[in-house]
Amino acid sequence: MQLKTFFTIGLPMIFVAGQAIALTDAEIDASFNPYQAGPTTSLGITPGMKIDKSNAQKFRDIIDPATYALIEQGKLEFPVEETHSIALHPNYIAATKKHSSQVKLGSATGTIEGYVAGRPFPGKPDKSDPRAGEKLAFNYKYAQIVGDSGRIYPFIWQYKDARSGKVERQLEFDFNFLSFKHRTTQLPTADIEPNPSKFYRGIYLKVLSPQDLKNTQLLIQRFDDDTKLDDSYLYLGFQRRVRRLATGQTTDSFLGSDLMIEDFEGYNGRVLDMDWKYVETKVMLLPVYRHSEWKKTEPRDPMGYGQVQFDGQAQCFQNIPWSLRVVHVIEGVPVESRNPIGKRILYMDAQTSIFPIINMYDRKGALWKRWAIGFSDSAYHAPANQAAGIAIYTSASMLDVQAQHCTTLQLRMISDPALSPPSIFSVQNLRGGD
């Protein structure tokens, strides 16, 4: 099927390798809203229609390969909703306008110079630029996925047999995130001090159940300098001791799930841990929708937020709408040969710099895993997030295609600095976590 461009993508090609060139405010505004000109053709997609085995062939060019295979096999179907622009926080956009003209990549891979806040590289990626993929990876690193801080609670993971649907195990977590530097959306907007190690970001999680894993805790301290390895620590409740994680452990199965620590939030590694290649920009279907307008969620908590449900083969897939989005397709190949993944194909939502879909391939080039994360405009999420100005995740599904096993994630994320105080992102907090 010959597909025409669905949206007017009028973003300028303004970055060349290693050099920063200023954009006008209008050009930056266009990068944050590629839908401002509206749809130009329909591609045959209409809001309310269902994508399933009967019609998937017509839309093969706008669906990622792993998802398409599942639809073709009759294991997955989903409805389509209207494409909506997601208004990111005005402070984040203002910081991009103020600082992006001074940002450039360093001479070494994985290094960046002149970055202060906002999106470091807001221009349209250029295929003639050999480091275009790396720039997009930095856009992801500094994206506003949870705002400057956020908490996921409740957070329920279920391990399932992808053939029978049998739930083998359920874990409940409390997750916290905090940006120590480059803050724009929450007070304080200045860097959080003291921060002698110059951490950029902290991730802290605690297992609430089952009993045999209760009080297991993970702390990840990511440096602002991407050339430094993360400081990562694991507290095992049954052993009552903290141990530092070796680098290779971030690519092991996390607590028996289908996820690795490196998979958190889409991709949870350093920019320089991967060789990045920008492939193309195109219109595709992604699991991006307005959560508060989707009625098939339950149960609803006192603030009216309902959890995403799962259906399809073995209930491994989110029951949520998808929508047409402008997408940057990126290939990431791990630098370390010991990484079990041969390559990732990452589908980046151009407006928000998030990764709703990632296809992972093994070292032999065969499809291994499909990582799908449902995202909503925060203005259409829990009431507490209405002014957050972010694309916020609502659910996730990791399918191991080869092992026929899946891990599904239900969650409620609140972007609120009071819920993630800096004190919990410390080794001392791990020791006192019981």
Side-chain angles (χ1 to χ4, degrees):
M1 177 181 178
Q2 184 67 33
L3 300 180
K4 298 180 181 178
T5 302
F6 185 76
F7 298 102
T8 300
I9 312 172
L11 309 185
M13 294 184 289
I14 46 71
F15 278 95
V16 295
Q19 182 179 355
I21 301 175
L23 284 75
T24 66
D25 285 357
E27 289 168 337
I28 291 176
D29 285 335
S31 76
F32 283 105
N33 186 6
Y35 312 107
Q36 58 188 349
T40 57
T41 62
S42 69
L43 295 176
I45 296 286
T46 56
M49 74 180 299
K50 180 187 292 185
I51 305 296
D52 59 22
K53 186 177 181 179
S54 69
N55 61 9
Q57 178 63 39
K58 295 189 294 185
F59 308 115
R60 185 168 189 164
D61 290 345
I62 58 172
I63 301 172
D64 69 277
T67 299
Y68 177 80
L70 291 167
I71 298 172
E72 190 177 44
Q73 295 161 14
K75 297 180 178 180
L76 168 65
E77 57 185 45
F78 55 79
V80 175
E81 74 169 31
E82 181 183 353
T83 299
H84 298 283
S85 183
I86 298 175
L88 297 188
H89 199 287
N91 289 2
Y92 186 75
I93 297 174
T96 303
K97 292 177 178 179
K98 183 176 181 180
H99 302 295
S100 63
S101 62
Q102 69 195 39
V103 183
K104 63 180 182 179
L105 294 177
S107 56
T109 301
T111 59
I112 189 171
E113 299 175 1
Y115 178 72
V116 177
R119 181 172 294 169
F121 301 106
K124 181 180 178 181
D126 182 358
K127 290 191 74 171
S128 67
D129 177 0
R131 300 182 74 180
E134 187 181 347
K135 292 171 183 175
L136 291 172
F138 272 112
N139 284 351
Y140 168 75
K141 175 178 178 177
Y142 295 117
Q144 289 284 288
I145 299 180
V146 299
D148 290 335
S149 68
R151 180 195 185 195
I152 300 177
Y153 176 80
F155 199 4
I156 300 168
W157 295 23
Q158 288 190 337
Y159 305 175
K160 301 175 182 178
D161 183 314
R163 297 181 182 90
S164 67
K166 179 183 177 181
V167 177
E168 301 166 343
R169 193 161 171 79
Q170 176 170 306
L171 276 65
E172 297 184 25
F173 293 89
D174 194 349
F175 262 62
N176 297 83
F177 308 86
L178 177 68
S179 293
F180 288 87
K181 299 175 68 66
H182 314 301
R183 299 171 59 84
T184 58
T185 64
Q186 297 175 352
L187 294 176
T189 52
D191 291 352
I192 291 176
E193 300 290 354
N195 183 15
S197 298
K198 300 189 183 304
F199 295 127
Y200 157 55
R201 196 163 187 256
I203 300 174
Y204 168 72
L205 69 85
K206 184 175 184 178
V207 180
L208 305 179
S209 69
Q211 188 62 36
D212 62 319
L213 292 175
K214 186 176 181 179
N215 291 324
T216 296
Q217 300 163 69
L218 175 69
L219 173 65
I220 301 173
Q221 298 169 323
R222 175 150 299 143
F223 292 93
D224 195 34
D225 181 352
D226 205 62
T227 64
K228 293 184 177 180
L229 292 170
D230 296 347
D231 281 346
S232 301
Y233 303 89
L234 186 67
Y235 176 84
L236 299 173
F238 61 90
Q239 292 183 349
R240 293 182 177 271
R241 69 181 183 92
V242 176
R243 62 183 178 88
R244 191 165 185 163
L245 290 184
T247 304
Q249 291 181 281
T250 61
T251 54
D252 293 338
S253 168
F254 181 66
L255 300 182
S257 72
D258 297 290
L259 279 73
M260 309 180 298
I261 292 173
E262 194 175 86
D263 297 323
F264 288 3
E265 299 184 272
Y267 172 68
N268 182 44
R270 300 177 303 164
V271 173
L272 62 73
D273 288 335
M274 305 265 276
D275 286 329
W276 301 93
K277 176 186 176 183
Y278 165 62
V279 179
E280 62 179 332
T281 295
K282 60 188 294 188
V283 174
M284 297 183 66
L285 285 164
L286 289 181
V288 178
Y289 69 109
R290 288 181 167 180
H291 184 79
S292 62
E293 295 182 349
W294 180 239
K295 303 305 181 183
K296 297 182 179 181
T297 58
E298 59 182 42
R300 294 187 175 273
D301 63 22
M303 67 174 64
Y305 180 85
Q307 290 288 356
V308 168
Q309 300 301 297
F310 291 81
D311 62 7
Q313 175 69 30
Q315 295 189 323
C316 281
F317 312 109
Q318 299 105 307
N319 181 4
I320 57 175
W322 291 41
S323 61
L324 285 167
R325 307 288 296 177
V326 179
V327 176
H328 300 316
V329 183
I330 311 166
E331 178 183 280
V333 177
V335 174
E336 290 286 343
S337 59
R338 61 186 173 187
N339 193 304
I341 290 176
K343 69 176 180 180
R344 288 177 171 88
I345 303 297
L346 308 100
Y347 298 88
M348 172 181 278
D349 181 69
Q351 182 172 36
T352 58
S353 296
I354 58 177
F355 293 133
I357 293 287
I358 299 176
N359 292 179
M360 305 179 196
Y361 296 80
D362 64 21
R363 286 282 173 180
K364 295 180 180 179
L367 179 65
W368 181 15
K369 295 182 181 180
R370 172 187 179 268
W371 190 202
I373 305 174
F375 280 94
S376 171
D377 184 338
S378 58
Y380 296 86
H381 192 263
N385 293 321
Q386 287 186 358
I390 56 178
I392 192 167
Y393 31 74
T394 66
S395 57
S397 166
M398 179 69 85
L399 172 67
D400 186 326
V401 175
Q402 297 181 10
Q404 283 297 290
H405 197 270
C406 70
T407 301
T408 60
L409 287 67
Q410 293 176 300
L411 59 104
R412 184 191 65 189
M413 208 283 283
I414 301 296
S415 183
D416 182 346
L419 301 177
S420 297
S423 60
I424 68 175
F425 299 91
S426 67
V427 178
Q428 290 75 18
N429 179 66
L430 293 179
R431 295 192 176 102
D434 284 346

